[in-house]
Amino acid sequence: MNKQQLIEIIAEENEITKDMATRTLNTMIMTSVKNGEPVVLVGFGTFRQVKRKARVICNPHTGEKLELKPRSVPKFVPGTLFKQIVDEQNS
């Protein structure tokens, strides 16, 4: 399932437009994480913001060293139930 399919399901189930469903989903997850608030969907997982430190990397093609500034990035950690369901096929 991709984001568009999720939006279609939300719109159909709640009898709202796809645009409204898109704005709702984006607001719920992206704005909260941007503001440093984790989004916890019990049984599914947690979306949160993590801070990356400044670091120096090396371009593998040129060997040139580049300095990366510190930044915030989103991170998703799947919940225990989600992990169990995905791994059932290997059990």
Coordinates of all heavy atoms in Angstrom, one line a residue:
M1 N 0.9 -1.2 0.0 CA 0.0 0.0 0.0 C 0.9 1.2 0.0 O 1.9 1.3 0.8 CB -0.9 0.0 1.2 CG -1.7 1.3 1.4 SD -2.8 1.3 2.8 CE -4.0 0.1 2.3
N2 N 0.6 2.2 -0.8 CA 1.3 3.4 -0.8 C 0.4 4.5 -0.2 O -0.7 4.3 0.2 CB 1.8 3.8 -2.3 CG 0.6 4.0 -3.2 OD1 -0.5 4.5 -2.9 ND2 0.8 3.7 -4.5
K3 N 1.0 5.7 -0.1 CA 0.3 6.8 0.5 C -1.0 7.2 -0.2 O -2.0 7.4 0.5 CB 1.2 8.1 0.5 CG 0.6 9.3 1.3 CD 1.5 10.4 1.3 CE 0.9 11.7 1.9 NZ 1.8 12.8 1.8
Q4 N -1.0 7.2 -1.5 CA -2.2 7.5 -2.3 C -3.4 6.5 -2.0 O -4.5 6.9 -1.8 CB -1.9 7.6 -3.8 CG -3.1 8.1 -4.6 CD -3.4 9.6 -4.1 OE1 -2.6 10.4 -3.8 NE2 -4.7 9.9 -4.1
Q5 N -3.0 5.2 -1.9 CA -4.0 4.2 -1.6 C -4.6 4.4 -0.2 O -5.8 4.2 0.1 CB -3.4 2.8 -1.7 CG -3.1 2.4 -3.1 CD -2.2 1.2 -3.3 OE1 -1.4 1.0 -2.4 NE2 -2.5 0.4 -4.3
L6 N -3.7 4.7 0.8 CA -4.1 5.0 2.2 C -5.1 6.2 2.2 O -6.1 6.2 2.8 CB -2.9 5.3 3.1 CG -3.2 5.6 4.5 CD1 -4.0 4.5 5.2 CD2 -1.9 5.9 5.2
I7 N -4.8 7.3 1.4 CA -5.6 8.4 1.4 C -7.0 8.1 0.8 O -8.0 8.6 1.3 CB -4.9 9.5 0.6 CG1 -3.8 10.1 1.4 CG2 -5.9 10.6 0.1 CD1 -2.8 11.0 0.6
E8 N -7.0 7.3 -0.2 CA -8.3 6.8 -0.8 C -9.2 6.1 0.2 O -10.4 6.3 0.3 CB -8.0 6.0 -2.1 CG -7.5 6.8 -3.2 CD -7.1 5.9 -4.4 OE1 -7.4 4.7 -4.4 OE2 -6.5 6.4 -5.4
I9 N -8.5 5.2 1.0 CA -9.3 4.5 2.0 C -9.8 5.4 3.1 O -11.0 5.3 3.4 CB -8.4 3.4 2.6 CG1 -8.1 2.3 1.6 CG2 -9.1 2.8 3.8 CD1 -7.1 1.3 2.0
I10 N -9.0 6.3 3.5 CA -9.4 7.3 4.5 C -10.6 8.1 4.0 O -11.6 8.3 4.7 CB -8.3 8.2 5.0 CG1 -7.2 7.4 5.8 CG2 -8.8 9.4 5.8 CD1 -5.9 8.2 6.0
A11 N -10.5 8.6 2.8 CA -11.5 9.4 2.2 C -12.8 8.7 2.0 O -13.9 9.2 2.4 CB -11.1 9.9 0.8
E12 N -12.8 7.4 1.5 CA -14.0 6.6 1.4 C -14.6 6.3 2.7 O -15.8 6.4 2.8 CB -13.6 5.3 0.6 CG -13.3 5.5 -0.9 CD -12.9 4.2 -1.5 OE1 -13.1 3.1 -1.0 OE2 -12.3 4.3 -2.6
E13 N -13.8 5.8 3.7 CA -14.4 5.4 4.9 C -15.0 6.6 5.7 O -15.9 6.4 6.5 CB -13.3 4.8 5.8 CG -12.8 3.4 5.3 CD -13.9 2.4 5.3 OE1 -14.7 2.3 6.3 OE2 -14.0 1.6 4.4
N14 N -14.5 7.8 5.5 CA -15.0 8.9 6.3 C -15.8 9.9 5.4 O -16.2 10.9 5.9 CB -13.8 9.7 6.9 CG -13.1 8.9 7.9 OD1 -13.6 8.7 9.0 ND2 -11.9 8.4 7.5
E15 N -16.1 9.5 4.2 CA -16.9 10.3 3.3 C -16.5 11.7 3.2 O -17.2 12.7 3.4 CB -18.4 10.2 3.7 CG -18.9 8.8 3.6 CD -20.4 8.7 4.1 OE1 -21.0 9.7 4.5 OE2 -20.9 7.6 4.1
I16 N -15.1 11.9 2.9 CA -14.5 13.2 2.7 C -13.8 13.1 1.4 O -13.6 12.1 0.8 CB -13.6 13.6 3.9 CG1 -12.5 12.6 4.0 CG2 -14.4 13.7 5.2 CD1 -11.4 12.9 5.1
T17 N -13.4 14.3 0.9 CA -12.6 14.4 -0.3 C -11.2 13.8 -0.1 O -10.7 13.8 1.0 CB -12.6 15.8 -0.9 OG1 -11.8 16.6 0.0 CG2 -13.9 16.4 -1.1
K18 N -10.6 13.5 -1.2 CA -9.2 13.0 -1.2 C -8.3 14.1 -0.7 O -7.3 13.9 0.0 CB -8.7 12.5 -2.5 CG -9.4 11.1 -2.9 CD -8.9 10.6 -4.2 CE -9.6 9.4 -4.6 NZ -9.2 8.9 -5.9
D19 N -8.6 15.4 -1.1 CA -7.8 16.5 -0.7 C -7.9 16.7 0.9 O -6.8 16.9 1.5 CB -8.3 17.8 -1.4 CG -7.4 19.0 -1.0 OD1 -6.2 18.9 -1.2 OD2 -8.0 20.0 -0.6
M20 N -9.0 16.5 1.4 CA -9.2 16.7 2.9 C -8.5 15.5 3.6 O -7.8 15.7 4.6 CB -10.7 16.6 3.2 CG -11.4 17.9 2.8 SD -13.2 17.8 3.1 CE -13.3 17.8 4.8
A21 N -8.5 14.3 3.0 CA -7.8 13.2 3.6 C -6.3 13.4 3.6 O -5.6 13.1 4.5 CB -8.2 11.9 2.9
T22 N -5.8 13.9 2.5 CA -4.4 14.2 2.3 C -3.9 15.2 3.4 O -2.9 15.0 4.0 CB -4.1 14.7 0.9 OG1 -4.5 13.8 -0.1 CG2 -2.6 15.0 0.7
R23 N -4.7 16.3 3.5 CA -4.3 17.3 4.5 C -4.4 16.8 5.9 O -3.5 17.1 6.7 CB -5.2 18.6 4.3 CG -4.9 19.4 3.1 CD -5.6 20.7 3.0 NE -7.0 20.3 2.5 CZ -8.1 20.9 2.9 NH1 -8.0 21.9 3.7 NH2 -9.3 20.6 2.4
T24 N -5.3 15.9 6.2 CA -5.5 15.4 7.5 C -4.3 14.5 7.8 O -3.7 14.6 8.9 CB -6.8 14.6 7.6 OG1 -7.9 15.4 7.4 CG2 -6.9 13.9 9.0
L25 N -3.9 13.6 6.9 CA -2.8 12.7 7.1 C -1.5 13.4 7.3 O -0.7 13.2 8.2 CB -2.7 11.7 5.9 CG -1.6 10.6 6.1 CD1 -1.9 9.7 7.3 CD2 -1.6 9.8 4.8
N26 N -1.3 14.4 6.4 CA 0.0 15.2 6.4 C 0.1 16.0 7.7 O 1.1 16.0 8.4 CB 0.1 16.1 5.3 CG 0.3 15.4 4.0 OD1 0.8 14.3 3.9 ND2 0.1 16.1 2.9
T27 N -1.1 16.6 8.1 CA -1.1 17.3 9.4 C -0.8 16.4 10.6 O 0.0 16.8 11.4 CB -2.4 18.1 9.6 OG1 -2.6 18.9 8.5 CG2 -2.4 18.8 10.9
M28 N -1.5 15.3 10.6 CA -1.3 14.4 11.7 C 0.1 13.9 11.9 O 0.7 14.0 13.0 CB -2.2 13.2 11.6 CG -2.2 12.2 12.7 SD -3.1 10.7 12.4 CE -1.9 9.8 11.5
I29 N 0.7 13.5 10.9 CA 2.1 12.9 11.0 C 3.2 13.9 10.8 O 4.0 14.1 11.7 CB 2.2 11.7 10.0 CG1 1.2 10.6 10.4 CG2 3.7 11.2 10.1 CD1 1.2 9.4 9.4
M30 N 3.2 14.6 9.7 CA 4.3 15.4 9.3 C 4.5 16.6 10.2 O 5.6 17.0 10.7 CB 4.3 15.9 7.9 CG 4.4 14.7 6.9 SD 4.3 15.4 5.2 CE 4.0 13.8 4.4
T31 N 3.4 17.3 10.5 CA 3.5 18.5 11.4 C 3.9 18.2 12.8 O 4.7 18.9 13.4 CB 2.1 19.3 11.4 OG1 1.8 19.6 10.0 CG2 2.2 20.6 12.1
S32 N 3.3 17.1 13.3 CA 3.7 16.7 14.7 C 5.1 16.3 14.8 O 5.8 16.8 15.7 CB 2.8 15.5 15.1 OG 1.5 15.9 15.2
V33 N 5.6 15.5 13.8 CA 7.0 15.1 13.9 C 7.9 16.4 13.7 O 9.0 16.5 14.4 CB 7.3 14.0 12.8 CG1 8.8 13.8 12.7 CG2 6.6 12.8 13.2
K34 N 7.5 17.2 12.8 CA 8.3 18.5 12.6 C 8.5 19.3 13.9 O 9.5 19.9 14.1 CB 7.6 19.3 11.5 CG 8.4 20.7 11.3 CD 7.6 21.5 10.3 CE 8.3 22.9 10.1 NZ 7.5 23.7 9.3
N35 N 7.4 19.3 14.7 CA 7.4 20.0 15.9 C 8.0 19.3 17.1 O 8.0 19.7 18.2 CB 6.0 20.4 16.3 CG 5.4 21.4 15.3 OD1 6.1 22.2 14.7 ND2 4.1 21.4 15.2
G36 N 8.6 18.1 16.8 CA 9.3 17.3 17.8 C 8.4 16.4 18.6 O 8.8 15.8 19.6
E37 N 7.2 16.3 18.2 CA 6.2 15.4 18.9 C 6.1 14.1 18.2 O 5.9 14.0 17.0 CB 4.8 16.1 18.9 CG 4.8 17.4 19.5 CD 3.5 18.2 19.2 OE1 2.5 17.5 18.7 OE2 3.4 19.4 19.4
P38 N 6.4 13.0 18.9 CA 6.3 11.7 18.3 C 4.8 11.3 18.0 O 3.9 11.8 18.7 CB 6.9 10.7 19.3 CG 6.8 11.4 20.6 CD 6.8 12.9 20.3
V39 N 4.6 10.6 16.9 CA 3.3 10.1 16.6 C 3.3 8.6 16.8 O 4.0 7.9 16.1 CB 2.9 10.4 15.1 CG1 1.6 9.8 14.7 CG2 2.9 11.9 14.9
V40 N 2.5 8.2 17.8 CA 2.5 6.8 18.2 C 1.2 6.2 17.8 O 0.1 6.6 18.2 CB 2.7 6.6 19.8 CG1 2.7 5.2 20.2 CG2 3.9 7.3 20.2
L41 N 1.3 5.2 16.9 CA 0.1 4.4 16.5 C 0.2 3.0 17.1 O 1.0 2.2 16.6 CB 0.0 4.4 14.9 CG 0.1 5.7 14.2 CD1 0.2 5.5 12.7 CD2 -1.1 6.6 14.6
V42 N -0.5 2.8 18.2 CA -0.3 1.6 19.0 C -0.5 0.4 18.1 O -1.5 0.3 17.3 CB -1.3 1.6 20.1 CG1 -1.2 0.3 20.9 CG2 -1.1 2.8 21.1
G43 N 0.4 -0.6 18.2 CA 0.4 -1.8 17.4 C 1.0 -1.6 16.0 O 1.3 -2.6 15.3
F44 N 1.2 -0.4 15.5 CA 1.7 -0.1 14.2 C 3.2 0.4 14.3 O 4.1 -0.2 13.8 CB 0.9 0.9 13.5 CG 1.4 1.2 12.1 CD1 1.3 0.3 11.1 CD2 2.0 2.5 11.8 CE1 1.8 0.6 9.8 CE2 2.4 2.8 10.5 CZ 2.3 1.8 9.5
G45 N 3.4 1.5 15.0 CA 4.7 2.0 15.2 C 4.7 3.5 15.6 O 3.7 4.1 15.9
T46 N 5.9 4.0 15.6 CA 6.1 5.4 16.1 C 6.9 6.2 15.0 O 8.0 5.7 14.6 CB 6.9 5.4 17.4 OG1 6.2 4.7 18.4 CG2 7.1 6.9 17.9
F47 N 6.4 7.4 14.7 CA 7.1 8.3 13.8 C 7.7 9.3 14.8 O 7.0 9.9 15.6 CB 6.2 9.0 12.9 CG 5.5 8.1 11.8 CD1 4.3 7.5 12.1 CD2 6.2 7.9 10.6 CE1 3.7 6.7 11.2 CE2 5.6 7.1 9.7 CZ 4.4 6.5 9.9
R48 N 9.0 9.7 14.6 CA 9.6 10.7 15.5 C 10.7 11.4 14.8 O 11.2 11.0 13.7 CB 10.1 10.1 16.8 CG 11.2 9.1 16.6 CD 11.5 8.4 18.0 NE 12.5 7.3 17.8 CZ 13.8 7.5 18.1 NH1 14.3 8.6 18.5 NH2 14.6 6.5 17.8
Q49 N 11.2 12.5 15.4 CA 12.3 13.3 14.8 C 13.6 12.9 15.5 O 13.6 12.7 16.8 CB 12.0 14.7 15.1 CG 13.0 15.7 14.5 CD 12.7 17.1 14.9 OE1 13.4 17.7 15.7 NE2 11.7 17.7 14.3
V50 N 14.6 12.7 14.8 CA 15.9 12.5 15.4 C 16.9 13.5 14.9 O 16.8 14.0 13.8 CB 16.5 11.0 15.1 CG1 15.6 10.0 15.8 CG2 16.6 10.8 13.6
K51 N 17.9 13.8 15.7 CA 18.9 14.8 15.3 C 20.2 14.1 14.8 O 20.6 13.2 15.5 CB 19.3 15.7 16.5 CG 18.1 16.3 17.2 CD 17.6 17.5 16.5 CE 16.5 18.2 17.4 NZ 15.8 19.2 16.6
R52 N 20.6 14.5 13.7 CA 21.9 14.0 13.2 C 23.0 15.0 13.5 O 22.8 16.2 13.2 CB 21.9 13.8 11.7 CG 21.1 12.6 11.3 CD 21.4 12.2 9.9 NE 20.7 11.0 9.5 CZ 20.5 10.7 8.3 NH1 20.9 11.4 7.3 NH2 19.8 9.6 8.0
K53 N 24.1 14.6 14.0 CA 25.2 15.5 14.3 C 25.9 15.9 13.0 O 25.8 15.2 12.0 CB 26.2 14.7 15.2 CG 25.7 14.4 16.5 CD 26.7 13.7 17.4 CE 26.2 13.3 18.7 NZ 27.1 12.6 19.6
A54 N 26.7 17.0 13.1 CA 27.5 17.4 12.0 C 28.6 16.3 11.8 O 29.0 15.7 12.7 CB 28.2 18.7 12.3
R55 N 29.0 16.1 10.5 CA 30.0 15.0 10.2 C 30.7 15.3 8.9 O 30.2 16.1 8.1 CB 29.4 13.7 10.2 CG 28.3 13.5 9.2 CD 27.5 12.2 9.4 NE 26.3 12.2 8.6 CZ 26.1 11.3 7.6 NH1 26.9 10.3 7.5 NH2 25.0 11.3 6.9
V56 N 31.8 14.7 8.7 CA 32.6 14.9 7.5 C 32.5 13.5 6.8 O 32.7 12.5 7.3 CB 34.0 15.2 7.8 CG1 34.9 15.3 6.5 CG2 34.1 16.5 8.6
I57 N 32.1 13.6 5.5 CA 32.0 12.4 4.6 C 33.0 12.6 3.5 O 33.5 13.7 3.2 CB 30.6 12.2 4.1 CG1 30.2 13.3 3.2 CG2 29.6 12.0 5.3 CD1 28.9 13.0 2.4
C58 N 33.3 11.5 2.8 CA 34.2 11.4 1.7 C 33.4 11.0 0.4 O 32.8 10.0 0.5 CB 35.3 10.5 2.0 SG 36.6 10.5 0.7
N59 N 33.5 11.8 -0.6 CA 32.8 11.5 -1.9 C 33.6 10.3 -2.5 O 34.8 10.4 -2.7 CB 32.9 12.6 -2.8 CG 32.2 12.4 -4.2 OD1 32.2 11.2 -4.7 ND2 31.6 13.4 -4.7
P60 N 33.0 9.1 -2.7 CA 33.7 7.9 -3.1 C 34.3 8.1 -4.6 O 35.2 7.4 -4.9 CB 32.7 6.8 -3.1 CG 31.4 7.5 -3.0 CD 31.6 8.8 -2.4
H61 N 33.7 8.9 -5.4 CA 34.2 9.1 -6.7 C 35.4 10.0 -6.9 O 36.3 9.8 -7.6 CB 33.0 9.6 -7.6 CG 31.9 8.7 -7.7 ND1 31.9 7.5 -8.4 CD2 30.6 8.8 -7.3 CE1 30.8 6.8 -8.3 NE2 29.9 7.6 -7.6
T62 N 35.3 11.1 -6.1 CA 36.4 12.1 -6.2 C 37.4 12.1 -5.0 O 38.5 12.7 -5.1 CB 35.8 13.5 -6.3 OG1 35.1 13.8 -5.1 CG2 34.9 13.6 -7.5
G63 N 37.0 11.5 -3.9 CA 37.8 11.5 -2.7 C 37.7 12.8 -2.0 O 38.3 13.0 -0.9
E64 N 36.9 13.8 -2.5 CA 36.7 15.1 -1.8 C 36.0 14.9 -0.5 O 35.0 14.2 -0.4 CB 35.9 16.0 -2.8 CG 35.6 17.3 -2.2 CD 34.6 18.1 -3.1 OE1 34.2 17.6 -4.1 OE2 34.4 19.3 -2.7
K65 N 36.5 15.6 0.5 CA 35.8 15.6 1.8 C 34.7 16.7 1.9 O 35.0 17.8 1.5 CB 36.8 15.8 2.9 CG 37.8 14.6 3.0 CD 38.6 14.7 4.3 CE 39.6 13.5 4.2 NZ 39.6 12.7 5.3
L66 N 33.6 16.3 2.4 CA 32.4 17.2 2.5 C 32.0 17.3 3.9 O 31.9 16.3 4.6 CB 31.3 16.8 1.6 CG 31.6 16.6 0.1 CD1 30.4 15.9 -0.6 CD2 31.8 18.0 -0.5
E67 N 31.7 18.5 4.4 CA 31.2 18.6 5.7 C 29.7 18.8 5.7 O 29.1 19.6 5.0 CB 31.8 19.9 6.4 CG 31.4 20.0 7.9 CD 32.1 21.1 8.6 OE1 33.3 21.4 8.2 OE2 31.5 21.7 9.5
L68 N 29.0 17.9 6.4 CA 27.5 17.9 6.5 C 27.1 18.6 7.8 O 27.7 18.3 8.9 CB 26.9 16.5 6.5 CG 27.2 15.7 5.2 CD1 26.5 14.3 5.3 CD2 26.7 16.4 4.0
K69 N 26.2 19.5 7.7 CA 25.7 20.3 8.8 C 24.8 19.4 9.6 O 24.2 18.4 9.1 CB 24.9 21.5 8.4 CG 25.8 22.5 7.6 CD 24.9 23.6 7.1 CE 25.8 24.6 6.3 NZ 25.0 25.7 5.8
P70 N 24.6 19.7 10.9 CA 23.6 19.0 11.7 C 22.2 19.2 11.2 O 21.9 20.3 10.6 CB 23.7 19.6 13.1 CG 24.4 20.8 13.0 CD 25.2 20.8 11.7
R71 N 21.3 18.2 11.3 CA 20.0 18.3 10.8 C 19.0 17.4 11.5 O 19.5 16.4 12.1 CB 19.9 18.1 9.3 CG 20.5 16.8 8.9 CD 20.6 16.7 7.4 NE 19.5 15.9 6.9 CZ 19.3 15.6 5.6 NH1 20.1 16.0 4.7 NH2 18.3 14.8 5.3
S72 N 17.8 17.7 11.3 CA 16.7 16.8 11.9 C 16.2 16.0 10.8 O 15.9 16.4 9.7 CB 15.6 17.6 12.5 OG 16.1 18.4 13.6
V73 N 15.9 14.7 11.0 CA 15.3 13.8 10.1 C 14.2 12.9 10.7 O 14.2 12.7 11.9 CB 16.4 12.8 9.4 CG1 17.4 13.6 8.7 CG2 17.1 12.0 10.5
P74 N 13.2 12.5 9.9 CA 12.2 11.7 10.4 C 12.7 10.2 10.6 O 13.5 9.8 9.8 CB 11.1 11.8 9.4 CG 11.8 12.1 8.1 CD 13.0 12.9 8.5
K75 N 12.1 9.5 11.5 CA 12.4 8.1 11.7 C 11.1 7.4 12.1 O 10.3 7.9 12.8 CB 13.5 8.0 12.9 CG 13.9 6.5 13.1 CD 15.0 6.4 14.1 CE 15.4 5.0 14.2 NZ 16.5 4.8 15.1
F76 N 11.0 6.2 11.6 CA 9.9 5.3 11.9 C 10.4 4.1 12.6 O 11.3 3.4 12.1 CB 9.1 4.9 10.6 CG 8.0 3.9 10.9 CD1 6.8 4.3 11.6 CD2 8.1 2.6 10.6 CE1 5.8 3.4 11.9 CE2 7.1 1.7 10.9 CZ 6.0 2.1 11.5
V77 N 9.8 3.7 13.7 CA 10.2 2.5 14.4 C 8.9 1.6 14.5 O 7.9 2.0 15.1 CB 10.7 2.8 15.9 CG1 11.0 1.5 16.6 CG2 11.9 3.8 15.8
P78 N 8.9 0.5 13.9 CA 7.7 -0.4 13.9 C 7.4 -0.9 15.3 O 8.3 -1.2 16.0 CB 8.0 -1.5 12.9 CG 9.5 -1.5 12.7 CD 10.0 -0.1 13.1
G79 N 6.1 -1.1 15.6 CA 5.7 -1.6 16.9 C 5.9 -3.1 16.9 O 6.1 -3.8 15.9
T80 N 5.8 -3.7 18.1 CA 6.0 -5.1 18.3 C 5.0 -5.9 17.5 O 5.4 -6.9 16.8 CB 5.9 -5.5 19.8 OG1 6.8 -4.7 20.5 CG2 6.2 -6.9 20.1
L81 N 3.7 -5.6 17.5 CA 2.7 -6.3 16.8 C 3.0 -6.3 15.3 O 2.9 -7.3 14.6 CB 1.3 -5.8 17.1 CG 0.2 -6.4 16.4 CD1 0.1 -7.9 16.8 CD2 -1.1 -5.7 16.7
F82 N 3.4 -5.1 14.8 CA 3.7 -5.0 13.4 C 4.9 -5.9 13.0 O 4.8 -6.6 12.0 CB 4.0 -3.5 13.1 CG 4.2 -3.2 11.6 CD1 3.8 -4.0 10.6 CD2 4.7 -2.0 11.3 CE1 3.9 -3.7 9.3 CE2 4.9 -1.6 9.9 CZ 4.5 -2.5 8.9
K83 N 5.9 -5.9 13.8 CA 7.1 -6.8 13.6 C 6.7 -8.3 13.6 O 7.1 -9.1 12.7 CB 8.1 -6.6 14.6 CG 8.8 -5.2 14.5 CD 9.9 -5.1 15.7 CE 10.4 -3.8 15.8 NZ 11.4 -3.7 16.9
Q84 N 5.8 -8.7 14.5 CA 5.4 -10.1 14.6 C 4.6 -10.5 13.4 O 4.8 -11.6 12.8 CB 4.5 -10.3 15.9 CG 5.3 -10.2 17.2 CD 4.4 -10.2 18.4 OE1 3.2 -10.1 18.3 NE2 5.0 -10.4 19.6
I85 N 3.7 -9.6 12.9 CA 2.8 -9.9 11.8 C 3.7 -10.1 10.5 O 3.5 -11.0 9.7 CB 1.7 -8.9 11.6 CG1 0.7 -9.0 12.7 CG2 1.1 -9.0 10.2 CD1 -0.3 -7.9 12.7
V86 N 4.6 -9.2 10.3 CA 5.5 -9.2 9.2 C 6.4 -10.5 9.2 O 6.6 -11.1 8.2 CB 6.4 -8.0 9.1 CG1 7.5 -8.1 8.0 CG2 5.5 -6.7 8.8
D87 N 6.8 -10.9 10.4 CA 7.7 -12.0 10.5 C 7.0 -13.4 10.6 O 7.6 -14.4 10.6 CB 8.6 -11.9 11.8 CG 9.8 -12.8 11.8 OD1 10.4 -13.0 10.7 OD2 10.1 -13.4 12.8
E88 N 5.6 -13.4 10.6 CA 4.9 -14.6 10.7 C 5.2 -15.6 9.6 O 5.3 -16.8 9.8 CB 3.4 -14.4 10.7 CG 2.8 -14.1 12.1 CD 1.3 -13.8 12.1 OE1 0.7 -13.9 11.0 OE2 0.8 -13.6 13.1
Q89 N 5.5 -15.1 8.4 CA 5.8 -15.9 7.3 C 7.1 -16.7 7.4 O 7.3 -17.7 6.8 CB 5.8 -15.1 6.0 CG 6.9 -14.0 6.0 CD 6.8 -13.1 4.8 OE1 5.9 -13.2 4.0 NE2 7.7 -12.1 4.8
N90 N 8.0 -16.2 8.3 CA 9.2 -16.8 8.5 C 9.2 -17.8 9.7 O 10.2 -18.5 10.0 CB 10.3 -15.8 8.7 CG 10.6 -15.0 7.5 OD1 10.5 -15.5 6.4 ND2 10.9 -13.7 7.6
S91 N 8.1 -17.8 10.4 CA 8.0 -18.7 11.6 C 7.5 -20.1 11.3 O 6.8 -20.4 10.4 CB 7.1 -18.1 12.6 OG 7.6 -16.8 13.0

